[in-house]
Amino acid sequence: MKLRAEPNRGAGSALAAASIPSARRTSLAAKLRKDKWIYLLLAPGLLYFLIFKYVPMWGILLAFQDYQPFLGFWKSEWVGFDHFKVFFDNPEFFMLLRNTLTLSFYNLIFFFPMPIVLALLLNEVRRAFFKRTIQTLIYVPHFISMVIVASLTYVLLTTQGGFVNGLLEQYAGTKIDFLASPEWFRPMIVVQTIWKESGFGTIIFLAALAGVDVEQYEAAIMDGANRWRQAWHITLPSIRNTIVILLILRMGDVLDNGFEQIYLMLNPLNREVAEVFDTYVYMMGITQGAFSYSTAVGLFKAVVGVILVLGSNWLAKRFGQTGIY
């Protein structure tokens, strides 16, 4: 009687397990070859984020050093959290925090809903020609440089022959120094932002509106719902996830008001309400050479932004909405 040799199942299992990573590598290589042109199109974007976003992140270590350019990065003295302590003890900290949060609050209340409103209005335009024309006109300001926007603001609002002050002088017999008045700075910034960015912001919401089921509108019409009720009960709920996601991302920019716009409109007469973290970092880092201190301020902004994004995402999920992850 011959005994049949049993196969070495343990060796076979080990061989199969070892071949799994190889199969995965082969599968990944096959996918790369198959979609090589798509990945090639993706490469410039990846290089941009790698070079200008991830590599510079090493620079945050300057916040924990007393950086001296002639000593270099590795020989400069490490001081821990000293720069953060100086920043928080600075009397200007609360002024910067107040100005930054106030501007962000105004933009959140007045600017954030504008692209939604414009998208809803454009969605009701039935003539394709008029719709495309309006879209083009409201998109154009996004591509105008902020320097041009500031120049237009100056031409319109200056007391020396400005168009708006000319009308005020003609009909009210008085002039208002909008550019130097602290009480007019924040409304002026919000109006600039709305005019420049609202139209371009409608792109995402119009794309979301394109995915709304038309049958829901037909059923609502059969039930006697007018345009307002259709927008409230069908359109807005359908794009609610998009609104929530953009709001979460917006929370990450609460301490980021945009350096260029504020810097161009800032002057000594409105500084008490116009100075924000972005302009303060520029002033301390570039004009005064306090590289480590300004890096600490920038790191503080980034950390607060991350906390706000994570917190708002958690809150959105608690209320049953789709978060960013």
Side-chain angles (χ1 to χ4, degrees), residues 238-259:
S238 298
I239 64 173
R240 182 167 50 198
N241 288 336
T242 303
I243 296 173
V244 170
I245 290 174
L246 291 178
L247 181 60
I248 292 172
L249 296 176
R250 181 74 183 175
M251 294 302 296
D253 294 331
V254 164
L255 297 185
D256 188 2
N257 299 118
F259 164 76

Side-chain angles (χ1 to χ4, degrees), residues 235-306:
T235 308
L236 285 176
S238 298
I239 64 173
R240 182 167 50 198
N241 288 336
T242 303
I243 296 173
V244 170
I245 290 174
L246 291 178
L247 181 60
I248 292 172
L249 296 176
R250 181 74 183 175
M251 294 302 296
D253 294 331
V254 164
L255 297 185
D256 188 2
N257 299 118
F259 164 76
E260 188 178 12
Q261 181 184 16
I262 305 298
Y263 181 74
L264 290 170
M265 304 307 300
L266 177 66
N267 59 63
L269 297 177
N270 61 20
R271 182 182 179 274
E272 62 181 273
V273 298
E275 189 81 76
V276 294
F277 287 118
D278 296 310
T279 56
Y280 184 72
V281 168
Y282 170 80
M283 181 185 69
M284 297 301 298
I286 302 300
T287 64
Q288 299 188 19
F291 300 112
S292 294
Y293 180 76
S294 59
T295 303
V297 178
L299 181 57
F300 165 73
K301 283 178 46 188
V303 171
V304 172
V306 171

Side-chain angles (χ1 to χ4, degrees), residues 157-170:
L157 301 181
T158 181
T159 56
Q160 305 298 322
F163 176 75
V164 174
N165 271 303
L167 292 178
L168 289 175
E169 186 178 20
Q170 181 178 353

Side-chain angles (χ1 to χ4, degrees), residues 44-313:
L46 291 177
L47 287 175
Y48 168 79
F49 281 100
L50 179 65
I51 296 173
F52 296 103
K53 300 296 182 180
Y54 285 95
V55 173
M57 286 179 66
W58 288 102
I60 65 175
L61 295 177
L62 293 180
F64 306 98
Q65 289 184 324
D66 183 16
Y67 178 72
Q68 302 295 331
F70 58 88
L71 291 177
F73 180 79
W74 299 110
K75 293 183 179 181
S76 296
E77 180 185 1
W78 292 87
V79 295
F81 292 92
D82 288 356
H83 296 301
F84 294 93
K85 295 177 183 177
V86 173
F87 176 54
F88 295 141
D89 292 336
N90 193 328
E92 292 188 331
F93 171 74
F94 289 103
M95 180 197 72
L96 297 170
L97 185 63
R98 181 184 67 250
N99 293 342
T100 303
L101 291 179
T102 302
L103 271 176
S104 295
F105 177 76
Y106 283 177
N107 282 325
L108 192 64
I109 296 299
F110 298 106
F111 165 66
F112 183 79
M114 286 304 297
I116 304 173
V117 174
L118 285 175
L120 293 175
L121 294 175
L122 286 172
N123 193 53
E124 296 298 323
V125 178
R126 296 293 176 246
R127 296 288 185 91
F129 172 77
F130 291 112
K131 186 174 183 178
R132 287 195 298 267
T133 302
I134 295 171
Q135 283 179 296
T136 302
L137 292 175
I138 64 177
Y139 289 170
V140 168
H142 171 78
F143 301 98
I144 298 177
S145 169
M146 187 53 69
V147 177
I148 304 300
V149 175
S151 301
L152 291 173
T153 304
Y154 178 83
V155 171
L156 290 172
L157 301 181
T158 181
T159 56
Q160 305 298 322
F163 176 75
V164 174
N165 271 303
L167 292 178
L168 289 175
E169 186 178 20
Q170 181 178 353
Y171 293 102
T174 184
K175 292 183 179 181
I176 299 176
D177 196 354
F178 296 99
L179 301 175
S181 300
E183 60 270 17
W184 284 102
F185 176 80
R186 290 163 181 161
M188 186 169 54
I189 293 296
V190 173
V191 170
Q192 282 182 346
T193 305
I194 291 174
W195 178 77
K196 189 175 187 299
E197 300 296 342
S198 292
F200 195 77
T202 61
I203 293 176
I204 297 176
F205 294 108
L206 285 173
L209 288 172
V212 180
D213 189 1
V214 180
E215 294 182 356
Q216 296 185 42
Y217 292 109
E218 295 174 351
I221 293 172
M222 295 295 295
D223 291 336
N226 57 25
R227 292 285 188 185
W228 290 107
R229 290 194 172 274
Q230 292 176 38
W232 183 258
H233 294 287
I234 298 176
T235 308
L236 285 176
S238 298
I239 64 173
R240 182 167 50 198
N241 288 336
T242 303
I243 296 173
V244 170
I245 290 174
L246 291 178
L247 181 60
I248 292 172
L249 296 176
R250 181 74 183 175
M251 294 302 296
D253 294 331
V254 164
L255 297 185
D256 188 2
N257 299 118
F259 164 76
E260 188 178 12
Q261 181 184 16
I262 305 298
Y263 181 74
L264 290 170
M265 304 307 300
L266 177 66
N267 59 63
L269 297 177
N270 61 20
R271 182 182 179 274
E272 62 181 273
V273 298
E275 189 81 76
V276 294
F277 287 118
D278 296 310
T279 56
Y280 184 72
V281 168
Y282 170 80
M283 181 185 69
M284 297 301 298
I286 302 300
T287 64
Q288 299 188 19
F291 300 112
S292 294
Y293 180 76
S294 59
T295 303
V297 178
L299 181 57
F300 165 73
K301 283 178 46 188
V303 171
V304 172
V306 171
I307 293 173
L308 289 175
V309 167
L310 295 178
S312 56
N313 184 75

